[in-house]
Amino acid sequence: MNSNSRNIFFIVGTLFITLTSCKSNTYLLTNHDYKTGVDFTQGKWLLNTINSTKENRDKLTQETTLFFTENIGNRYYFRADVNSLLLPENIPLNPNKEQIKSLQAGTGFDYFINVSTKKNKDELGTVSLFDDEQSTEENNAEVTLEIYDLNLHQIIYTQKAIGSDRAEKQKSIWETKKSNKLIDNINFHRSSNKLVLGSLKKILKDLKKKSIPKK
């Protein structure tokens, strides 16, 4: 078998495995109180250092920066790139009015973006064989994104997304009982790191849908 034939065989085999694998990951938004988003046409925006593990932080920062740059333009800034800010190292979610006033005094910005992540469960590998139908193993992660209007001293948007992937065996494409075929028992799962990124994207999609776009 020549190299081209082997490559084609590998690609077809990979696609077949992927199509017959268990698809069990979901992303859910938990906050339904905010029916509207924000006004992207106004003010200067500052993204705080994302509260996440080191292995996720850079990717999440890139994704968030790309989103707000596209929707705000040159009125968007990242905390690490701005000099002379007077801010505490850690800024908690759901700040009160006095805390938001302090953010205004320490930044001089109009809007502040705060993002925090959490990995709740990390029990599944990315590839598993012969999942037990009764298994309760799960990968689970969440992301919370808040936006504060520093001039009005209030939270104007907050959303949390939870991403999960469970060990959940489904019927095979042959509609048989649990098969002894290896290919019928391979399941792919999203790691908790990927669930964090997927949860962030779910929130950003919600925010864009509800917000006033820049002109």
Side-chain angles (χ1 to χ4, degrees), residues 129-209:
L129 298 176
F130 298 99
D131 278 351
D132 185 343
E133 288 94 334
Q134 307 304 317
S135 175
T136 59
E137 292 181 337
E138 180 182 0
N139 292 340
N140 186 290
E142 63 185 63
V143 175
T144 301
L145 184 148
E146 296 180 341
I147 299 176
Y148 316 138
D149 186 321
L150 301 185
N151 297 311
L152 296 178
H153 311 137
Q154 64 185 27
I155 301 171
I156 56 173
Y157 177 86
T158 180
Q159 185 60 269
K160 177 163 69 174
I162 299 176
S164 63
D165 196 327
R166 298 178 178 86
E168 185 177 331
K169 187 69 176 65
Q170 298 175 339
K171 288 183 179 180
S172 73
I173 60 173
W174 296 283
E175 292 294 320
T176 63
K177 295 181 179 180
K178 190 168 184 178
S179 172
N180 291 323
K181 298 184 179 71
L182 177 63
I183 197 170
D184 196 27
N185 290 278
I186 296 177
N187 292 285
F188 292 90
H189 301 287
R190 289 186 179 274
S191 67
S192 55
N193 288 333
K194 286 189 176 181
L195 291 172
V196 166
L197 181 59
S199 296
L200 174 65
K201 290 180 178 180
K202 183 77 172 180
I203 292 175
L204 296 177
K205 183 178 179 180
D206 176 72
L207 177 60
K208 184 171 183 177
K209 180 181 178 180

Side-chain angles (χ1 to χ4, degrees), residues 15 46 75 78 82 99 117 130 139 143 154 161 194 209:
L15 287 173
L46 180 66
R75 292 177 289 112
F78 177 49
V82 181
Q99 289 172 316
T117 76
F130 298 99
N139 292 340
V143 175
Q154 64 185 27
K194 286 189 176 181
K209 180 181 178 180

Side-chain angles (χ1 to χ4, degrees), residues 116-134:
S116 183
T117 76
K118 183 180 179 183
K119 292 195 286 186
N120 300 318
K121 292 184 179 180
D122 196 7
E123 301 169 341
L124 290 168
T126 54
V127 179
S128 61
L129 298 176
F130 298 99
D131 278 351
D132 185 343
E133 288 94 334
Q134 307 304 317

Side-chain angles (χ1 to χ4, degrees), residues 55-64 197 200-201:
E55 59 189 330
N56 285 331
R57 190 176 299 119
D58 287 346
K59 182 64 177 177
L60 296 173
T61 301
Q62 291 171 8
E63 190 71 29
T64 308
L197 181 59
L200 174 65
K201 290 180 178 180

Side-chain angles (χ1 to χ4, degrees), residues 46 48 79 84-114 146-151 153-155:
L46 180 66
N48 188 32
R79 174 173 176 165
S84 303
L85 295 175
L86 298 175
L87 292 173
E89 182 176 351
N90 298 312
I91 299 171
L93 294 172
N94 195 28
N96 58 38
K97 188 172 184 178
E98 292 305 315
Q99 289 172 316
I100 297 178
K101 283 183 178 180
S102 296
L103 293 178
Q104 180 190 37
T107 65
F109 279 71
D110 300 299
Y111 300 96
F112 191 87
I113 308 156
N114 209 9
E146 296 180 341
I147 299 176
Y148 316 138
D149 186 321
L150 301 185
N151 297 311
H153 311 137
Q154 64 185 27
I155 301 171

